[in-house]
Amino acid sequence: MVSSKDVSKSVLKRLPGYLAYLKNMPEDSPSHISATALANALGMGEVQVRKDLALVSDGGRPKIGYLRVRLIEDIEQFLGYDNTTDAVLIGAGRLGCALLDYEGFEEYGLNILAAFDTNPAKVGVDETGKPILPLDQLSQFCEEHKVLMGIVTVPAACAQSVCDLLVENGIKAIWNFAPIHVDVPKNILLQTQNMATSLALLSVHLQAQMKTKE
């Protein structure tokens, strides 16, 4: 197996899909699963799936496949889901608060410690008991808690300045939900969750499906 630092972003984006399928298989499913079966289930190329799995697990056996429970563990360990990553969230609007309250992140090793906002009316404690703090306290908070990940849920006009602020305070990975491209130094990992792109892909797919029925 190789380090997660040595694999491409495209592989890292595919692995959670494999994991989700494996974890949601019926309880009475076979204990082993092959790369071929996984590829067929997800509509992917067998060769690609086989290569991806070989990067994260050495448990595959010819004609037998992978022990499903162990493969799940190997993928989770490779992705770091067994090691909790603390994060801060900037922008306590509707989306920000929804992410702050979402308990499902714990399953993926993500723990949002606090949210920050420039609006004094939002400062306080949310429904789950997590603090919403003034943005000017971000620097001290990141230093005290050794935070390395930031989540950006601010309006597009503020996204670049917020990302700059996160980088200045030692953040090494940014999950950006703002609908705009932002620039960060090469040593910073940036993942932009572009909902417009996802919606466009769905729309084009639906249009293509409708044309085939005409």
Side-chain angles (χ1 to χ4, degrees), residues 11-145:
V11 174
L12 293 176
K13 289 180 179 180
R14 289 193 294 268
L15 290 176
Y18 303 152
L19 184 61
Y21 178 80
L22 293 168
K23 295 181 72 171
N24 287 285
M25 290 178 66
E27 294 183 2
D28 58 351
S29 298
S31 60
H32 288 73
I33 185 169
S34 66
T36 302
L38 186 57
N40 291 337
L42 297 175
M44 299 175 63
E46 177 184 345
V47 174
Q48 184 66 73
V49 173
R50 192 178 303 280
K51 288 181 178 179
D52 290 348
L53 296 184
L55 291 173
V56 302
S57 177
D58 58 5
R61 297 293 180 266
K63 298 182 180 181
I64 297 177
Y66 293 84
L67 181 62
R68 185 161 55 93
V69 174
R70 180 181 172 184
L71 182 56
I72 289 173
E73 294 174 349
D74 286 344
I75 296 176
E76 288 184 332
Q77 183 177 10
F78 187 85
L79 292 173
Y81 290 175
D82 58 338
N83 296 315
T84 299
T85 298
D86 290 333
V88 290
L89 184 147
I90 314 300
R94 291 183 179 179
L95 176 57
C97 287
L99 295 178
L100 187 64
D101 295 343
Y102 181 55
E103 298 178 355
F105 285 138
E106 296 179 2
E107 182 178 351
Y108 304 103
L110 175 63
N111 178 35
I112 303 178
L113 295 176
F116 293 82
D117 204 284
T118 56
N119 186 349
K122 295 183 181 294
V123 172
V125 178
D126 81 333
E127 295 180 357
T128 63
K130 292 185 177 181
I132 300 176
L133 305 172
L135 187 59
D136 58 14
Q137 294 184 18
L138 176 67
S139 179
Q140 180 180 353
F141 189 93
C142 288
E143 182 178 358
E144 290 179 353
H145 294 84

Side-chain angles (χ1 to χ4, degrees), residues 123-210:
V123 172
V125 178
D126 81 333
E127 295 180 357
T128 63
K130 292 185 177 181
I132 300 176
L133 305 172
L135 187 59
D136 58 14
Q137 294 184 18
L138 176 67
S139 179
Q140 180 180 353
F141 189 93
C142 288
E143 182 178 358
E144 290 179 353
H145 294 84
K146 310 300 180 185
V147 183
L148 297 178
M149 180 175 178
I151 303 172
V152 177
T153 56
V154 299
C158 307
Q160 185 62 62
S161 61
V162 165
C163 287
D164 293 342
L165 181 62
L166 288 171
V167 172
E168 290 174 7
N169 285 285
I171 295 299
K172 302 300 183 184
I174 296 175
W175 194 4
N176 175 38
F177 284 83
I180 190 174
H181 170 78
V182 294
D183 294 313
V184 296
K186 292 183 179 180
N187 65 316
I188 305 298
L189 177 60
L190 172 68
Q191 177 64 38
T192 296
Q193 199 69 31
N194 195 320
M195 297 181 184
T197 299
S198 298
L199 180 58
L201 290 173
L202 291 171
S203 178
V204 170
H205 175 76
L206 288 175
Q207 291 178 30
Q209 291 294 316
M210 293 175 65

